[in-house]
Amino acid sequence: VPHRLEAVAEIDGVRFVNDSKATNVASAAAGLGAFRRGVHAILGGSEKGEPFAPLVTPIARHCSACYLVGETAGRMALELEPVTVADVPLVHCSDLEDAVHRAFAAAAAETEHLSLHDHLTGLPNRLHFQQRLEKRLLATGSATVLLMDLDRFKEVNDTLGHDVGDQLLEQVGQRLRRLEHEETMVARLGGDEIGRRKLALSQQSRR
């Protein structure tokens, strides 16, 4: 079908998809279900009297934010309010142009964040760790790096499943984040490998 999930542009890592044929709730829900988490959806239009409750689950599963426009914006905000519990904000926009600008700005910021952070633990990733380490070394002359991994992590995945392994990594990430302050950084370098960098000023830089 023309204009059904049609990729129309990609700017700064943000892909624009036109789904103008999704003119009812069922087709909009199906369209959202075609994506993984991370959709910035612009929703709304003329009032047709359809209930919006069937959109709650696909929005909670697949969207980072929703931008509401048109006659239905007010009612949508009320009926879709449960998605805010899943940390999906509902943003009221003055018109379609306003919605596009807001969605693009938020999606671009999210894309940049994801490029530098591990999607599972939320910790900085290897690239971010290396960039910060190089910056510190240039500025101060030295740094202390501690590398750690999780013993028998493969056994956890093999015996309890990858979902449990993911939960374990999330818990470790949350606990290690408590160690961070202005002069430290904790990052997930890959797999079960964690790196912690602590600034250690050289004698020359202390003067």
Coordinates of all heavy atoms in Angstrom, one line a residue, residues 116-133 145-150 169 172-173 176 185-197:
L116 N 26.4 6.2 22.6 CA 27.4 6.3 23.6 C 27.1 5.5 24.8 O 27.9 5.5 25.8 CB 27.7 7.8 24.0 CG 28.2 8.6 22.9 CD1 28.2 10.1 23.3 CD2 29.6 8.2 22.4
H117 N 26.0 4.8 24.9 CA 25.6 4.1 26.1 C 25.1 2.6 25.7 O 24.5 2.4 24.7 CB 24.4 4.8 26.8 CG 24.9 6.1 27.4 ND1 25.0 7.2 26.7 CD2 25.2 6.4 28.7 CE1 25.5 8.2 27.5 NE2 25.6 7.7 28.7
D118 N 25.3 1.7 26.6 CA 24.9 0.4 26.5 C 23.3 0.3 26.7 O 22.8 0.9 27.7 CB 25.5 -0.5 27.6 CG 25.0 -1.9 27.6 OD1 25.1 -2.6 26.5 OD2 24.5 -2.3 28.6
H119 N 22.6 -0.3 25.7 CA 21.2 -0.3 25.8 C 20.6 -1.0 26.9 O 19.5 -0.7 27.4 CB 20.6 -0.8 24.4 CG 20.7 -2.3 24.3 ND1 21.9 -3.0 24.0 CD2 19.8 -3.3 24.5 CE1 21.7 -4.3 24.0 NE2 20.4 -4.5 24.3
L120 N 21.3 -2.0 27.4 CA 20.8 -2.9 28.5 C 21.0 -2.3 29.9 O 20.0 -2.2 30.7 CB 21.4 -4.3 28.4 CG 21.0 -5.3 29.5 CD1 19.5 -5.6 29.3 CD2 21.8 -6.6 29.3
T121 N 22.2 -1.9 30.2 CA 22.5 -1.4 31.5 C 22.4 0.1 31.7 O 22.3 0.6 32.8 CB 23.9 -1.8 31.9 OG1 24.9 -1.1 31.1 CG2 24.1 -3.3 31.9
G122 N 22.4 0.8 30.5 CA 22.4 2.3 30.6 C 23.7 2.9 30.9 O 23.9 4.1 30.9
L123 N 24.7 2.0 31.1 CA 26.1 2.5 31.4 C 26.7 3.0 30.1 O 26.4 2.6 29.0 CB 27.0 1.4 31.9 CG 26.6 0.9 33.3 CD1 27.5 -0.4 33.6 CD2 26.8 1.9 34.4
P124 N 27.7 3.9 30.2 CA 28.5 4.3 29.0 C 29.0 3.1 28.3 O 29.4 2.1 29.0 CB 29.6 5.2 29.6 CG 29.0 5.8 30.8 CD 28.1 4.7 31.4
N125 N 29.1 3.1 27.0 CA 29.7 2.0 26.3 C 31.2 2.1 26.1 O 31.8 3.1 26.5 CB 28.9 1.7 25.0 CG 29.0 2.9 24.0 OD1 29.9 3.8 24.2 ND2 28.1 2.9 23.0
R126 N 31.8 1.2 25.3 CA 33.2 1.2 25.1 C 33.7 2.5 24.4 O 34.7 3.1 24.8 CB 33.6 0.0 24.3 CG 35.1 -0.1 23.9 CD 35.4 -1.3 23.0 NE 35.2 -2.5 23.7 CZ 36.1 -3.2 24.4 NH1 37.3 -2.6 24.6 NH2 35.8 -4.3 25.0
L127 N 32.9 2.9 23.4 CA 33.3 4.2 22.7 C 33.3 5.4 23.6 O 34.3 6.2 23.6 CB 32.3 4.4 21.5 CG 32.5 5.7 20.8 CD1 33.9 5.8 20.1 CD2 31.4 5.9 19.7
H128 N 32.3 5.5 24.4 CA 32.2 6.6 25.4 C 33.3 6.5 26.4 O 33.9 7.6 26.7 CB 30.8 6.6 26.1 CG 30.5 7.9 26.8 ND1 29.3 8.0 27.4 CD2 31.1 9.0 26.9 CE1 29.3 9.2 27.9 NE2 30.4 9.9 27.6
F129 N 33.6 5.3 26.9 CA 34.7 5.1 27.9 C 36.0 5.6 27.3 O 36.8 6.3 27.9 CB 34.7 3.7 28.3 CG 35.7 3.3 29.3 CD1 35.4 3.6 30.7 CD2 36.9 2.8 29.0 CE1 36.4 3.3 31.6 CE2 37.8 2.4 30.0 CZ 37.6 2.7 31.3
Q130 N 36.3 5.1 26.0 CA 37.5 5.5 25.4 C 37.7 7.0 25.2 O 38.7 7.6 25.4 CB 37.7 4.7 24.1 CG 37.9 3.2 24.3 CD 37.9 2.5 22.9 OE1 37.3 2.9 21.9 NE2 38.6 1.3 22.9
Q131 N 36.6 7.6 24.8 CA 36.6 9.1 24.5 C 36.9 9.8 25.8 O 37.7 10.8 25.8 CB 35.3 9.5 23.9 CG 35.0 9.1 22.5 CD 33.7 9.5 22.0 OE1 32.8 9.8 22.7 NE2 33.5 9.4 20.7
R132 N 36.2 9.5 26.9 CA 36.4 10.1 28.2 C 37.8 9.9 28.7 O 38.4 10.8 29.3 CB 35.3 9.7 29.2 CG 33.9 10.2 28.9 CD 33.7 11.6 29.4 NE 33.9 11.7 30.8 CZ 32.9 11.5 31.7 NH1 31.7 11.1 31.3 NH2 33.1 11.6 33.0
L133 N 38.3 8.6 28.5 CA 39.6 8.3 29.0 C 40.7 9.1 28.3 O 41.6 9.7 28.9 CB 39.9 6.8 28.9 CG 41.2 6.3 29.3 CD1 41.4 6.6 30.8 CD2 41.3 4.8 29.0
V145 N 42.7 2.7 35.6 CA 41.6 2.0 35.0 C 41.5 0.6 35.7 O 42.5 -0.1 35.8 CB 41.9 1.8 33.5 CG1 40.8 0.9 32.9 CG2 41.9 3.1 32.8
L146 N 40.3 0.3 36.1 CA 40.0 -1.0 36.8 C 39.1 -1.8 35.9 O 38.0 -1.3 35.5 CB 39.4 -0.8 38.1 CG 38.9 -2.1 38.8 CD1 40.0 -3.0 39.2 CD2 38.1 -1.7 40.1
L147 N 39.5 -3.0 35.5 CA 38.6 -3.8 34.6 C 38.1 -5.0 35.5 O 38.9 -5.6 36.2 CB 39.4 -4.4 33.4 CG 39.9 -3.3 32.4 CD1 40.7 -4.0 31.3 CD2 38.7 -2.6 31.8
M148 N 36.8 -5.3 35.3 CA 36.3 -6.5 36.0 C 35.3 -7.2 35.1 O 34.7 -6.6 34.2 CB 35.6 -6.0 37.3 CG 34.4 -5.1 37.0 SD 33.6 -4.5 38.5 CE 34.8 -3.2 38.9
D149 N 35.1 -8.5 35.4 CA 34.1 -9.2 34.7 C 33.3 -10.1 35.8 O 33.7 -10.1 36.9 CB 34.6 -10.1 33.6 CG 35.6 -11.1 34.1 OD1 35.7 -11.4 35.3 OD2 36.3 -11.7 33.2
L150 N 32.2 -10.7 35.3 CA 31.4 -11.5 36.2 C 31.8 -13.0 36.1 O 31.7 -13.6 35.0 CB 29.9 -11.3 35.9 CG 29.4 -9.9 35.9 CD1 27.9 -9.9 35.5 CD2 29.6 -9.2 37.2
L169 N 22.9 -8.4 34.6 CA 23.7 -7.2 34.1 C 23.1 -5.9 34.5 O 23.8 -4.9 34.9 CB 23.9 -7.3 32.6 CG 24.8 -8.4 32.1 CD1 24.8 -8.5 30.6 CD2 26.2 -8.2 32.6
V172 N 23.8 -5.3 38.2 CA 25.2 -4.9 38.4 C 25.4 -3.5 37.9 O 26.1 -2.7 38.6 CB 26.1 -5.9 37.6 CG1 27.6 -5.3 37.6 CG2 26.1 -7.3 38.2
G173 N 24.8 -3.1 36.8 CA 24.9 -1.7 36.3 C 24.4 -0.7 37.3 O 25.0 0.3 37.5
L176 N 26.8 -0.4 40.2 CA 28.1 0.3 39.9 C 27.9 1.7 39.7 O 28.8 2.6 39.9 CB 28.7 -0.4 38.7 CG 29.3 -1.8 38.9 CD1 29.8 -2.4 37.6 CD2 30.4 -1.8 40.0
M185 N 34.1 7.1 36.3 CA 33.2 6.7 35.3 C 33.2 5.2 35.2 O 34.2 4.5 35.2 CB 33.6 7.2 33.9 CG 32.7 6.8 32.7 SD 33.5 7.4 31.2 CE 32.1 7.1 30.1
V186 N 32.0 4.6 35.2 CA 31.8 3.2 35.1 C 31.1 2.9 33.7 O 30.2 3.5 33.3 CB 30.9 2.6 36.2 CG1 30.7 1.1 36.0 CG2 31.5 2.9 37.6
A187 N 31.7 1.9 33.0 CA 31.2 1.6 31.6 C 31.1 0.1 31.4 O 31.9 -0.6 32.0 CB 32.1 2.3 30.6
R188 N 30.2 -0.3 30.5 CA 30.2 -1.7 30.1 C 30.9 -1.7 28.8 O 30.5 -1.1 27.8 CB 28.7 -2.1 29.9 CG 28.7 -3.6 29.5 CD 27.3 -4.1 29.2 NE 27.3 -5.5 28.9 CZ 26.2 -6.1 28.3 NH1 25.1 -5.4 28.0 NH2 26.3 -7.4 27.9
L189 N 32.0 -2.5 28.7 CA 32.8 -2.6 27.5 C 32.3 -3.6 26.6 O 32.7 -3.6 25.4 CB 34.3 -2.8 27.9 CG 34.9 -1.8 28.9 CD1 36.3 -2.1 29.2 CD2 34.7 -0.4 28.5
G190 N 31.5 -4.5 27.0 CA 31.0 -5.6 26.2 C 30.9 -6.9 26.9 O 31.7 -7.2 27.8
G191 N 29.8 -7.7 26.6 CA 29.6 -8.9 27.3 C 29.5 -8.7 28.8 O 28.6 -7.9 29.3
D192 N 30.3 -9.4 29.6 CA 30.2 -9.2 31.1 C 31.4 -8.4 31.6 O 31.8 -8.4 32.8 CB 30.2 -10.6 31.8 CG 31.5 -11.4 31.4 OD1 32.3 -11.0 30.5 OD2 31.7 -12.5 32.1
E193 N 32.0 -7.6 30.7 CA 33.2 -6.8 31.0 C 32.8 -5.4 31.4 O 32.2 -4.7 30.7 CB 34.2 -6.8 29.9 CG 35.6 -6.2 30.2 CD 36.5 -6.3 29.0 OE1 36.1 -6.6 27.9 OE2 37.7 -6.0 29.2
I194 N 33.3 -5.0 32.6 CA 33.0 -3.7 33.1 C 34.3 -2.9 33.3 O 35.3 -3.5 33.8 CB 32.2 -3.7 34.5 CG1 31.0 -4.6 34.3 CG2 31.9 -2.4 35.0 CD1 29.9 -3.9 33.5
G195 N 34.3 -1.7 33.0 CA 35.5 -0.9 33.2 C 35.2 0.3 34.1 O 34.1 0.9 34.0
R196 N 36.1 0.6 35.1 CA 35.9 1.8 35.9 C 37.2 2.6 35.8 O 38.3 2.1 36.0 CB 35.7 1.3 37.4 CG 35.4 2.6 38.3 CD 35.3 2.2 39.7 NE 35.0 3.3 40.6 CZ 35.3 3.4 41.9 NH1 35.8 2.3 42.5 NH2 35.0 4.5 42.5
R197 N 37.0 3.9 35.5 CA 38.1 4.8 35.4 C 38.1 5.8 36.5 O 37.1 6.4 36.8 CB 38.1 5.5 34.1 CG 39.3 6.4 33.8 CD 38.9 7.7 33.1 NE 38.1 8.5 34.0 CZ 37.1 9.3 33.6 NH1 36.7 9.3 32.4 NH2 36.5 10.1 34.5

